Amino acid sequence: MPSDFARYTTVAHGCRMIEERRDEPVFDQVMECLEFALRRWMEIFGEDAR
């Protein structure tokens, strides 16, 4: 079972990697589409989506 510290550093690393790749136009466009889809999902299903 990973420690809380190990879990935090893994999440922090993942966030940094995504932010670094946002400078790539194609990757950034894919992320924008994903963000839009997730916002729409929450608009439609709201709390029921959890």
Side-chain angles (χ1 to χ4, degrees):
M1 180 92 168
S3 70
D4 288 340
F5 179 74
R7 193 172 308 122
Y8 169 77
T9 57
T10 301
V11 170
H13 173 73
C15 291
R16 279 193 307 276
M17 297 300 294
I18 294 297
E19 285 304 313
E20 288 175 10
R21 293 208 53 202
R22 291 300 293 251
D23 293 333
E24 301 171 24
V26 173
F27 184 83
D28 189 55
Q29 186 175 14
V30 169
M31 290 294 102
E32 287 179 7
C33 290
L34 179 59
E35 290 168 1
F36 174 80
L38 291 172
R39 278 193 298 276
R40 277 295 283 146
W41 177 272
M42 290 304 292
E43 288 172 11
I44 293 168
F45 297 105
E47 290 295 318
D48 293 337
R50 294 176 187 205

